[in-house]
């Protein structure tokens, strides 16, 4: 293997010296001509071209929600621990809720809800008051206190936009999300508390819903962003996001909810927050690529290995590292299939050479996968499993690399911790070791 890597020096620019024994000392990565350790550097290498035709939000190392300007890469973090997660790459999405920054909210008894928000249920005997507004941890919020003794089981329900406002149709997946914290009182006597994606008919009438509980929200805004996804049925004409709780008749209720920046987007998973202040807003796709001499100076056409660490939020098929000539006919892709497996695809002159699936890569958790190609000798593995081999393949001539996406694949919803490329066919035992 060391000989192969030293041979790669002449073709792809690897530093001399081959491999030293062992992987723990980082020697394998030290000979890679392309090692993009985004979680550590939190910067883009100069050779990467990055675009996004809008601003976009992300969580900074201080746990605050921040905004990156147009064409500025985002490096995301765990909002609770501050852990660096890597480069955030997302597809374009629209927040259809017109006002998630609480414009128009006024504190009072009962006060005024944010513009376009609708309170649709309040049990007799309960009052709902706007008791606070502001920004915390970079998140715009409204505080609503619901208190009293319920005379019936109607509970309380609020919606972040009107029932006949957000047009939708059968078969579409929609995901609703919101930051929620419990900052006063408690969930005592509340039988269920839900965040809901609601289907509505052409007249705005209720059809059905999918929901998830928020009752474990905690008291810190930003630590808990709840999301729920529903694929709409045959008679849906509108969709709506709601927050709700139910209580038995005759019980005392006292709870203050802090609700931050709700979002309702067409798609099967939640993406980063898109602020709105009167109209729906769209965040453009992140596009990261390496082309021209910035690509050809290190890429080897006749063999190579790519390694990726990432966390995917999309359940669709995604590309994490893609190599292509700008068409579907010549491409090499490593990513995650919709089935949850690591996936390698090789296409040459329009003919499929390799479609390999291996392992199981969980959503929203750190995954490690690696693939290697050479004439009639390709392999892919994940999570330290024995690689899956293919002994019949020719390789495409390619001219660029895409990061967090791939030719013919929607941009990923993922954070990419690390991407590494070697201009050599690393051994199967090495593939297993680096993905453990």
């Amino acid at each position: 293997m060391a000989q192969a890597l030293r041979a790669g020096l002449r073709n792809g620019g690897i530093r001399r010296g081959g491999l030293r024994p062992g992987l723990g000392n980082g020697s394998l990565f030290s000979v890679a001509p392309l090692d993009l350790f985004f979680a550590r550097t939190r910067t883009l290498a100069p050779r990467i071209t990055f675009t996004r035709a809008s601003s976009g939000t992300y969580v900074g190392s201080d746990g605050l929600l921040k905004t990156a300007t147009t064409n500025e890469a985002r490096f995301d973090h765990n909002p609770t621990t501050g852990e660096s997660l890597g480069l955030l790459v997302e597809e374009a999405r629209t927040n259809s809720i017109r006002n998630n920054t609480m414009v128009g909210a006024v504190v009072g008894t009962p006060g005024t809800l944010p513009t376009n928000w609708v309170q649709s249920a309040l049990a007799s005997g309960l009052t709902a008051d706007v008791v606070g507004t502001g920004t915390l941890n970079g998140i715009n919020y409204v505080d609503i206190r619901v208190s009293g003794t319920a005379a019936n089981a109607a509970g309380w329900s609020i919606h972040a936009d009107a029932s006949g406002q957000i047009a939708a149709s059968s078969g579409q997946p929609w995901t609703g999300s919101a930051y929620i914290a419990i900052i006063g009182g408690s969930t005592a006597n509340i039988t269920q508390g839900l965040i809901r994606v609601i289907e509505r008919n052409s007249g705005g009438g209720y059809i059905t819903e999918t929901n998830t509980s928020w009752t474990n929200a905690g008291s810190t805004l930003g630590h808990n962003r709840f999301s729920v996804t529903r694929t709409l049925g045959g008679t849906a004409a509108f969709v709506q996001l709601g927050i709700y709780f139910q209580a038995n008749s005759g019980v005392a209720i006292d709870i203050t909810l802090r609700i931050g920046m709700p979002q309702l987007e067409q798609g099967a998973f939640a993406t980063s927050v898109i602020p709105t202040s009167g109209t729906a807003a769209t965040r453009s796709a992140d596009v990261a690529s390496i082309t021209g001499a910035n690509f050809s100076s290190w890429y080897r056409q006749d063999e190579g290995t790519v390694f990726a660490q990432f966390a995917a939020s999309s359940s669709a098929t995604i590309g994490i590292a893609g190599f292509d000539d700008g068409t579907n006919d010549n491409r090499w892709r490593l990513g995650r299939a919709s089935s949850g497996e690591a996936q390698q695809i090789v296409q040459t002159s329009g003919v499929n050479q390799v479609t390999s699936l291996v392992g199981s890569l969980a959503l929203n958790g750190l995954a490690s996968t690696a693939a290697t190609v050479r004439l009639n000798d390709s392999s892919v593995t994940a999570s330290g499993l024995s690689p899956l081999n293919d002994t019949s393949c020719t390789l495409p001539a390619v001219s660029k690399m895409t990061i967090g996406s791939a030719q013919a694949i929607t941009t990923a919803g993922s954070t990419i911790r690390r991407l590494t490329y070697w201009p050599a066919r690393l051994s199967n035992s090495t593939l297993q070791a680096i993905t453990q």
Side-chain angles (χ1 to χ4, degrees), residues 50 52-59 65-75 88 273 275 283 286:
F50 180 87
R52 187 187 56 254
S54 72
S55 60
T57 63
Y58 66 101
V59 178
L65 187 69
K66 299 179 182 295
T67 299
T69 61
T70 299
N71 296 331
E72 179 186 357
R74 298 175 290 166
F75 297 91
L88 178 59
V273 175
R283 181 201 59 250
D286 299 287

Side-chain angles (χ1 to χ4, degrees), residues 20 29 48 183 221 279 334:
R20 296 185 299 276
F29 293 95
I48 299 174
I183 64 163
L221 190 69
T279 60
L334 177 65

Side-chain angles (χ1 to χ4, degrees), residues 172-197:
Q172 292 177 339
W174 283 81
T175 298
S177 58
Y179 292 102
I180 300 176
I182 302 170
I183 64 163
S186 71
T187 57
N189 294 324
I190 290 175
T191 56
Q192 60 177 347
L194 305 172
I195 179 170
R196 315 186 288 170
V197 171

